[in-house]
Amino acid sequence: MQRSLLLLCLVLAACAQPTPQPAQPSPKPSESPSALPSAVSSAVPEASATPLLPLSAAEGNLIANPGVEIASGVARPEDWTPDFWGTQSANLAWESSEPFSGKKYLSVSVQDYVEGDAKWIFKAQKLQENSWYEYSDYYRSDGRSRMIWGCSTDSGQRFFRTVWQTHQSKSWAQNKFRFYSSSFRDCNITMMHVLDRNGYLHTDHHQMVKTTPMPLKRPLVSITFDDIWTSSVTVGAAELEKRGWKGSYYITGKYARLPNAPQYAHVDEIKKIMAAGHEIGSHSNTHPLMATLTNNDVIAELQSNYDYLKFLGKTPEGIAYPFGDFSDQVETETKRFHQYARTSLVGLNDRSADPFRLRIVPVTTETTTSELFTWVEDAEKTSTWVIFLFHDLQPGVGDFTYTTPVTQYIQLLDYIERKKLAVVPVNQGLKELKN
Ligand SMILES: [Zn+2]
């Protein structure tokens, strides 16, 4: 148990927390252009016949030198900085073998990965507050890569959130998502396409532009719990029920079946919240890092917990990935069992939201109450859907990153209630998303 909790902290911290680990500016441009992985050199870029140019600054692109065609020295494009942190061997290069467009692209390759990430960074800048932006690039890679929103304040603080992820694509593919520029602190913002595993990632044709809102008919709030901590079905459920609301509980079957584990709710308590009308979802059978499993093991994790929850009395419409960890293979198999996936990617869900990419606000010991209020206000202002993720609720703050003081939980619920916002379980929110 200790080990899985530790892992949970490690992975979710990397995913969601305003991480205390600064991305150290330790540039390591390649001294000599590295050879492309052989699997890639045979790939034919889709757009090589008529290379598209990314939007220019005059057309609203906030990224300078977006096609990385302009040089600043021998091994580096202007306005881009190579960066990595952690334990790994990273090579950040400016390459020219089969670019998506123009003559150049950015390359990141990593070997001997233990922790950290590597990426090229464009200059952080102030975005217009309370506005929607779309980030896009073209990429090719031999596995998953992540998009991390970076905020640096004028006073020197730094905050990070994992806001999106891409799948393996050996030929150039588009990566595109929307995000809202909240009034969250006074941020200079950059969006980093990072590699945090052994392998390679190439990017080209980068774009960040202001875009139009895609509101829902009304703002929505969901309160969700992962794992099945006892406190979530006692005080967590009681506070929701007091207000006439229903929550969503993503249950790891193995935790519910553990003998002598009073920190987890067991069958009787789970049946009680089912009877009270809360949503029951899956959180896998044994809480593994799903993307590390073989296809058969992914299916077994999904199938056995689906069957278990159904046996207890409710078919789980949705899943919340343990540690927020998924890949294209996990996503594909998930679609065979569930109607949606709640990820650990951070952000608001607007009308464009993908049911298998639902984004959240993780509540950790780092999260302040005013930050929670800002998310509620943002959902209200933009008429979008905010999904809060809790784990354990306790009288005070413990050692566990995912323990939330009950007082903070109640403050959030009171605030939502004062604002008279609709609180719905995730499966209900999904219906409004589709309407
Ligand atoms: Zn979990």
Side-chain angles (χ1 to χ4, degrees):
M1 213 36 43
Q2 285 297 88
R3 196 174 157 271
S4 46
L5 291 188
L6 184 69
L7 254 179
L8 176 92
C9 296
L10 285 175
V11 175
L12 271 182
C15 290
Q17 220 185 322
T19 165
Q21 297 139 329
Q24 281 152 19
S26 37
K28 194 191 170 193
S30 66
E31 283 87 45
S32 57
S34 64
L36 278 174
S38 57
V40 165
S41 51
S42 62
V44 180
E46 288 163 2
S48 60
T50 46
L52 301 169
L53 290 174
L55 288 179
S56 67
E59 293 165 293
N61 193 351
L62 298 167
I63 303 175
N65 194 13
V68 297
E69 298 300 318
I70 304 161
S72 163
V74 178
R76 197 166 142 177
E78 202 167 84
D79 294 309
W80 289 84
T81 308
D83 184 282
F84 67 93
W85 67 272
T87 310
Q88 59 182 305
S89 172
N91 183 32
L92 291 136
W94 190 35
E95 303 275 17
S96 53
S97 172
E98 297 177 351
F100 172 75
S101 63
K103 293 185 170 145
K104 302 292 263 183
Y105 62 91
L106 299 175
S107 163
V108 183
S109 56
V110 166
Q111 287 179 307
D112 307 321
Y113 181 83
V114 181
E115 63 157 352
D117 66 37
K119 67 273 184 186
W120 285 90
I121 305 179
F122 66 83
K123 206 166 166 250
Q125 56 201 287
K126 291 257 187 314
L127 298 184
Q128 210 170 315
E129 264 187 26
N130 304 320
S131 303
W132 286 91
Y133 287 85
E134 182 186 87
Y135 172 89
S136 65
D137 61 27
Y138 279 81
Y139 76 99
R140 58 188 174 193
S141 82
D142 55 356
R144 176 180 61 189
S145 55
R146 297 184 204 275
M147 295 302 312
I148 296 183
W149 168 95
C151 152
S152 48
T153 65
D154 291 337
S155 59
Q157 288 176 296
R158 303 182 80 176
F159 303 92
F160 303 95
R161 295 172 181 159
T162 300
V163 292
W164 200 244
Q165 83 173 49
T166 64
H167 292 326
Q168 165 180 304
S169 179
K170 292 198 173 173
S171 56
W172 290 106
Q174 194 179 28
N175 160 39
K176 188 165 83 169
F177 63 93
R178 296 156 56 83
F179 66 97
Y180 182 67
S181 67
S182 170
S183 54
F184 175 73
R185 302 181 205 270
D186 192 20
C187 284
N188 295 293
I189 287 174
T190 189
M191 198 58 82
M192 303 176 285
H193 198 154
V194 314
L195 185 63
D196 57 352
R197 56 174 175 80
N198 287 326
Y200 71 89
L201 166 68
H202 300 159
T203 65
D204 199 355
H205 202 90
H206 312 80
Q207 219 162 267
M208 189 162 76
V209 293
K210 210 171 158 210
T211 188
T212 49
M214 295 185 73
L216 304 175
K217 284 188 184 142
R218 58 172 185 166
L220 297 173
V221 183
S222 292
I223 304 294
T224 74
F225 292 94
D226 275 5
D227 301 341
I228 198 62
W229 294 82
T230 299
S231 60
S232 70
V233 305
T234 54
V235 64
E239 290 295 332
L240 291 173
E241 286 163 22
K242 219 189 266 180
R243 294 167 175 81
W245 298 341
K246 308 276 186 271
S248 297
Y249 290 82
Y250 300 91
I251 299 172
T252 293
K254 180 186 159 188
Y255 294 171
R257 294 187 297 268
L258 279 177
N260 310 316
Q263 71 271 36
Y264 294 120
H266 294 133
V267 177
D268 290 349
E269 291 151 311
I270 293 172
K271 285 191 170 166
K272 222 181 275 177
I273 56 166
M274 280 180 174
H278 297 283
E279 180 189 6
I280 301 300
S282 177
H283 194 45
S284 81
N285 187 38
T286 70
H287 210 285
L289 286 162
M290 298 284 277
T292 65
L293 304 181
T294 64
N295 209 47
N296 280 346
D297 287 347
V298 168
I299 295 167
E301 280 289 337
L302 294 168
Q303 177 88 61
S304 54
N305 209 49
Y306 180 93
D307 291 345
Y308 175 64
L309 296 173
K310 206 171 155 188
F311 166 75
L312 291 188
K314 271 198 182 171
T315 303
E317 286 174 51
I319 186 171
Y321 297 123
F323 312 110
D325 185 58
F326 69 101
S327 61
D328 46 355
Q329 170 209 8
V330 172
E331 206 170 63
T332 302
E333 296 305 336
T334 293
K335 288 176 182 176
R336 296 174 50 206
F337 291 92
H338 301 291
Q339 279 91 61
Y340 74 86
R342 204 220 62 209
T343 67
S344 292
L345 301 168
V346 179
L348 296 169
N349 299 288
D350 67 4
R351 207 171 66 240
S352 72
D354 176 345
F356 286 88
R357 289 284 179 103
L358 292 180
R359 290 194 263 183
I360 62 152
V361 175
V363 187
T364 73
T365 47
E366 305 273 329
T367 315
T368 64
T369 306
S370 74
E371 226 172 288
L372 294 175
F373 288 2
T374 301
W375 280 106
V376 173
E377 289 155 14
D378 285 351
E380 184 186 35
K381 264 189 283 199
T382 58
S383 196
T384 57
W385 182 16
V386 60
I387 301 174
F388 290 102
L389 166 59
F390 291 90
H391 288 79
D392 191 18
L393 304 171
Q394 291 300 329
V397 186
D399 297 337
F400 182 41
T401 313
Y402 296 94
T403 294
T404 303
V406 174
T407 46
Q408 191 182 38
Y409 176 66
I410 291 175
Q411 279 167 349
L412 174 65
L413 299 193
D414 285 346
Y415 191 63
I416 298 164
E417 194 173 28
R418 277 205 300 280
K419 289 196 156 289
K420 299 188 167 55
L421 296 179
V423 176
V424 294
V426 175
N427 58 353
Q428 293 301 313
L430 204 60
K431 283 185 191 142
E432 297 207 19
L433 190 70
K434 287 173 180 168
N435 282 334

